[in-house]
Amino acid sequence: MKRLSLLFILCTLLFCPAGAQQKPRLVVGIVVDQMRWDYLDRYRSQFTDGGFNRLVDEGYSCNNCLINYVPTVTAIGHTSAYTGTSPAYHGICGNTFYIDGKRRVSCQDDSVKAVGSTASNGNRSPRNLLTTTIGDQLRLHTDFRSKVVGVSYKDRAAIFPAGHSANAAFWLDTKSLCFITSTYYMQQLPDYVLQVNAAMKKNKEVQQAGSNIGFTPLCGTVTTDMAIAALKGEHLGQGEATDMLCVSYSETDVIGHEWGTRGDHTDEAYLALDRDLSRLLKALDEQVGRGNYLLFLTADHGAAHNWRFMQEHHLPGGPLMIQNTIKAIEAHVAQKLGATKAVVDDMLDYRVFLNHQSIAEQGLSLQQVKDAVVECLKAMPEVVTAVDFEQARLSALPPLQLERVLMGYYPGRSGDVIAILKPHYYAWWDDNSPTHTTHGSWNPYDAHIPLLFFGWQVEHGATSREVHITDIAPTICQMLRIQQPSGCSGEAITEVAR
């Protein structure tokens, strides 16, 4: 018996070096909204040593991480990174979609109210999410001793990463310029959130930015302030169980939509974010300890270059005007099938949502209407093809596009027909902004995103092997030795999770 005990001790010393943690004290997930993969190289010489470059130089970079579904938009990207699956399983199929025929914001929950203000974006929760997240699995594994907190400018970017059982999620009320939550999580804001809000009220730059703070790098600064306050206020990484902090930076998306992928505004946003990231990493080092936290950084989607910018340089690209497209569809269905009332409810993220009730009341065949919509879209010069979701497997879509269409489709929520546009063509609402851009397609400019792992048990290195946004959650869960989220369809990245 003594010999067995001695052997066990020797094995422990051999395979567990002095000072090594059996589990990280804290997991940190960072999502940069609308960050293209090539920005890591574009700004590398201008980044500081303590932010993005530190993650690249000391961490592990997956240089060919792709989003494996469409549409590539914010709510889906955040959800997919933390659930390890796509809309086909987790059910969050857009920033806005339809549930039971009603248009809903992705995290809208009318059974809860705002805490911290009377904001219209206070009735929010993760209840529309059908699967668990990394944080949920961590809390389950530790009998709910782990703490999980989400922080972002956007409600959906704080709520979905943190998951169903999160201790807290905080997002910004831009009207009152304060961080809020909802009664799903708590009845009153913690003192540390009140302190952050009080500091924002006294900050002249923040007050001057006002409700437009999302269009400025200050948004990233106050997000970092809130993340550090939560880190300290919740004593994350200080308990016996591993905790989790989910942080999303949204100003890069707001600025990107307005000013595109090139120019002073976008440059300023990423250089300021790099400084904020450096400040967050320093706080993690001081609060949790270098090597004691496991961190990943990714994006929810990329972005297309502005179509005018492309055309000026003799490159293909152009807009598909949404309202004009809807009008053309209505006219085609009226001419072909005799419709006298509108049959289209919406067009969101290249998907057409039909009004099934109106179609039935007019005595029209739903399938014939869908066929007519497909026919109309296919005839448009900006469109490569269009498919009825329910007939997608019978279509002539190439395998890559077919897989991404199917992985992004959830019945009853994703609409009826999806259009595949030509490369660098994108849907837009008007033609008033000469610098705008957006995202949502399967193409690399929207789907190729950064993925960096850093910290606890992460060796420095890189791979160009194709991995997916849905591989993040199973990788983190394998490293933590906990079960994958309930709908997980991704695979652990074995170069990281050894």
Side-chain angles (χ1 to χ4, degrees):
M1 188 68 178
K2 289 183 179 180
R3 289 181 179 178
L4 288 175
S5 298
L6 180 61
L7 180 61
F8 175 78
I9 293 171
L10 289 172
C11 289
T12 300
L13 292 172
L14 179 63
F15 294 106
C16 298
Q21 293 284 327
Q22 293 300 306
K23 293 283 180 73
R25 293 178 180 174
L26 179 68
V27 177
V28 182
I30 300 175
V31 178
V32 182
D33 205 324
Q34 202 184 118
M35 184 175 183
R36 293 164 54 113
W37 171 77
D38 56 352
Y39 286 173
L40 285 175
D41 182 72
R42 177 174 176 80
Y43 297 111
R44 184 157 172 76
S45 64
Q46 301 175 71
F47 283 151
T48 65
D49 291 335
F52 284 105
N53 283 345
R54 181 182 173 190
L55 300 183
V56 173
D57 293 339
E58 299 179 26
Y60 194 92
S61 180
C62 296
N63 292 325
N64 193 21
C65 181
L66 302 175
I67 296 174
N68 53 343
Y69 53 78
V70 288
T72 47
V73 297
T74 297
I76 305 179
H78 283 80
T79 305
S80 297
Y82 284 86
T83 62
T85 193
S86 72
Y89 300 98
H90 61 57
I92 303 301
C93 46
N95 297 326
T96 303
F97 49 88
Y98 282 69
I99 300 178
D100 298 327
K102 295 180 180 179
R103 198 177 198 263
R104 311 286 289 178
V105 172
S106 58
C107 53
Q108 183 176 339
D109 182 355
D110 295 334
S111 71
V112 301
K113 296 180 180 180
V115 173
S117 80
T118 57
S120 58
N121 68 334
N123 59 333
R124 302 289 188 261
S125 86
R127 286 193 173 111
N128 291 332
L129 172 61
L130 304 179
T131 66
T132 59
T133 63
I134 301 170
D136 289 328
Q137 295 302 140
L138 183 60
R139 300 247 305 147
L140 280 165
H141 188 79
T142 62
D143 293 328
F144 300 94
R145 288 179 289 115
S146 295
K147 289 184 177 181
V148 178
V149 179
V151 174
S152 181
Y153 164 86
K154 294 181 179 180
D155 47 17
R156 55 190 177 270
I159 290 170
F160 291 132
H164 294 276
S165 65
N167 299 84
F170 304 108
W171 56 95
L172 201 64
D173 170 9
T174 56
K175 185 176 181 180
S176 300
L177 282 178
C178 62
F179 280 95
I180 64 171
T181 188
S182 79
T183 51
Y184 178 89
Y185 302 98
M186 60 191 71
Q187 297 301 313
Q188 61 184 28
L189 292 175
D191 287 342
Y192 64 85
V193 181
L194 296 176
Q195 291 169 11
V196 170
N197 289 342
M200 289 175 63
K201 293 294 184 185
K202 296 178 181 178
N203 188 312
K204 293 182 179 179
E205 289 183 296
V206 170
Q207 294 303 310
Q208 186 176 1
S211 60
N212 291 323
I213 191 170
F215 292 90
T216 74
L218 276 172
C219 182
T221 300
V222 299
T223 299
T224 304
D225 292 342
M226 185 67 252
I228 293 174
L231 174 70
K232 296 178 178 180
E234 295 288 349
H235 307 288
L236 299 179
Q238 304 302 304
E240 293 182 2
T242 301
D243 297 323
M244 187 166 193
L245 176 63
C246 311
V247 185
S248 178
Y249 290 99
S250 306
E251 72 281 0
T252 45
D253 183 69
V254 180
I255 291 169
H257 276 297
E258 184 70 16
W259 289 290
T261 60
R262 293 289 186 270
D264 294 341
H265 291 282
T266 301
D267 294 348
E268 181 187 13
Y270 278 93
L271 298 183
L273 174 57
D274 181 62
R275 295 190 293 272
D276 284 322
L277 183 58
S278 179
R279 186 159 60 94
L280 177 60
L281 291 173
K282 183 179 179 181
L284 289 166
D285 289 343
E286 294 172 351
Q287 181 77 7
V288 187
R290 292 175 71 105
N292 291 332
Y293 59 92
L294 170 62
L295 180 149
F296 69 84
L297 182 147
T298 191
D300 52 351
H301 54 75
H305 295 307
N306 173 268
W307 67 266
R308 287 188 180 89
F309 169 84
M310 295 293 285
Q311 290 187 356
E312 286 171 4
H313 294 276
H314 308 290
L315 294 165
L320 177 76
M321 294 303 176
I322 295 173
Q323 291 304 320
N324 293 343
T325 302
I326 293 175
K327 289 178 182 178
I329 291 172
E330 296 285 14
H332 184 73
V333 174
Q335 185 274 326
K336 189 176 182 69
L337 302 176
T340 57
K341 298 179 183 178
V343 297
V344 177
D345 263 339
D346 237 327
M347 187 171 182
L348 301 169
D349 306 319
Y350 311 100
R351 300 166 302 178
V352 178
F353 291 75
L354 295 174
N355 187 323
H356 292 204
Q357 182 177 342
S358 174
I359 292 169
E361 289 174 351
Q362 296 180 70
L364 300 175
S365 161
L366 176 60
Q367 187 58 57
Q368 287 182 335
V369 172
K370 290 195 288 185
D371 291 344
V373 172
V374 169
E375 183 179 65
C376 179
L377 288 169
K378 282 183 175 181
M380 295 180 179
E382 304 89 353
V383 177
V384 175
T385 191
V387 295
D388 170 359
F389 274 117
E390 293 186 346
Q391 303 293 323
R393 289 191 181 277
L394 302 177
S395 71
L397 280 178
L400 184 149
Q401 291 178 349
L402 175 60
E403 179 187 7
R404 295 187 183 185
V405 165
L406 293 175
M407 289 293 282
Y409 174 67
Y410 190 86
R413 293 187 176 189
S414 293
D416 299 276
V417 172
I418 186 168
I420 307 295
L421 273 57
K422 293 178 179 178
H424 264 294
Y425 281 77
Y426 53 80
W428 198 249
W429 297 272
D430 57 56
D431 203 24
N432 295 330
S433 173
T435 58
H436 64 245
T437 192
T438 192
H439 47 85
S441 75
W442 68 271
N443 306 79
Y445 46 82
D446 284 349
H448 189 188
I449 55 175
L451 177 56
L452 303 170
F453 293 90
F454 173 85
W456 180 82
Q457 289 197 355
V458 175
E459 296 181 5
H460 174 57
T463 180
S464 293
R465 180 174 70 85
E466 181 178 325
V467 299
H468 303 120
I469 190 172
T470 53
D471 296 335
I472 297 171
T475 300
I476 296 297
C477 288
Q478 182 165 316
M479 295 182 75
L480 298 178
R481 298 295 187 265
I482 64 175
Q483 186 58 270
Q484 297 173 349
S486 58
C488 187
S489 59
E491 298 181 358
I493 301 169
T494 53
E495 294 90 335
V496 179
R498 301 177 185 277

